[in-house]
Amino acid sequence: MKVETIIDTKKKIISLYDVANNTGDFISLIQTAFIYNTSKPLQGCKAQAENSRKETDQLSTIITAYAMDDTDLKSYIPVPAHIIRVWKSLEKLSELTAKKIEGNILFSDKAADETIFLLQRLIEILRPTADMILARNTFLSKYIVYSQAGVEKMANEYATLHEDRLITGECMPESASIFVKMLEAIKDTAWNAKEIAVKLSG
């Protein structure tokens, strides 16, 4: 392979890393908006998510083409699709958070604590997932897989507990709907992060 091609390939991988790494900052904005009950941090989030998806889609096409001449790149072929799904889930989280804030919809203290905790766990998953794109580290991969299983388990448990709070009247139906949808988006984000780690550790 030509030196120019190798350099260009590395640049594309770094670009893919940058798009993935931005997901951690994006989640931090959602978490800040949720904690302080202000939609200000969410301004521009929709445009950022859309631009990130478009950039990732373009990188996917390029990486797939380059992989024909570089076998090391073949493991990267499925990665952009999962990054795009991560961004879709994060955009959904942003929209749900904005809906909660702008509609002045209150969560119970437990639901709020659970949401904040899971958002933090996502940050702790997404950053090493981005690092996997550059490092392809086995220990990072194991951490991400283990963390994703933990997030899914906790989200399912929180959903069950929330049903009990809904029955007892501690939570209102409108807030329950947003909370459950947020849990699903969180699980989807973690699952796709795990898939990236698995694909790149093989």
Side-chain angles (χ1 to χ4, degrees), residues 27-198:
I27 275 284
S28 293
L29 292 175
I30 296 172
Q31 189 182 50
T32 299
F34 187 93
I35 291 172
Y36 295 102
N37 199 42
T38 172
S39 57
K40 187 175 181 180
L42 302 177
Q43 294 175 2
C45 278
K46 183 176 180 62
Q48 182 184 354
E50 289 177 351
N51 290 335
S52 295
R53 292 202 305 271
K54 288 178 182 177
E55 183 179 355
T56 307
D57 191 49
Q58 293 170 354
L59 287 169
S60 176
T61 301
I62 296 170
I63 288 171
T64 300
Y66 276 37
M68 295 176 65
D69 298 319
D70 186 352
T71 55
D72 290 337
L73 269 182
K74 288 184 178 179
S75 297
Y76 286 92
I77 292 176
V79 172
H82 290 293
I83 293 177
I84 289 172
R85 290 176 194 136
V86 165
W87 275 108
K88 285 182 179 179
S89 295
L90 295 185
E91 184 179 0
K92 184 68 174 177
L93 274 174
S94 174
E95 291 171 350
L96 290 167
T97 302
K99 182 178 180 180
K100 174 191 176 298
I101 294 167
E102 293 163 7
N104 198 28
I105 298 169
L106 300 178
F107 277 20
S108 68
D109 289 343
K110 288 182 179 179
D113 288 344
E114 290 161 358
T115 303
I116 293 168
F117 178 76
L118 287 176
L119 289 176
Q120 183 60 39
R121 294 295 293 124
L122 274 190
I123 294 172
E124 294 166 3
I125 290 175
L126 289 173
R127 295 201 188 283
T129 298
D131 290 339
M132 276 291 298
I133 293 173
L134 296 181
R136 301 185 67 173
N137 185 289
T138 303
F139 294 106
L140 276 181
S141 178
K142 289 179 179 178
Y143 167 79
I144 294 163
V145 170
Y146 177 81
S147 297
Q148 182 272 329
V151 165
E152 183 166 352
K153 180 181 179 181
M154 285 183 288
N156 289 336
E157 289 177 355
Y158 291 163
T160 300
L161 292 172
H162 195 70
E163 288 179 8
D164 295 337
R165 293 196 292 267
L166 186 60
I167 292 171
T168 59
E170 188 178 347
C171 291
M172 301 305 293
E174 191 172 15
S175 63
S177 174
I178 293 177
F179 180 71
V180 170
K181 288 176 181 177
M182 289 186 78
L183 291 180
E184 289 302 314
I186 287 170
K187 287 196 296 183
D188 288 344
T189 302
W191 185 86
N192 280 289
K194 180 263 297 182
E195 286 297 298
I196 292 171
V198 171

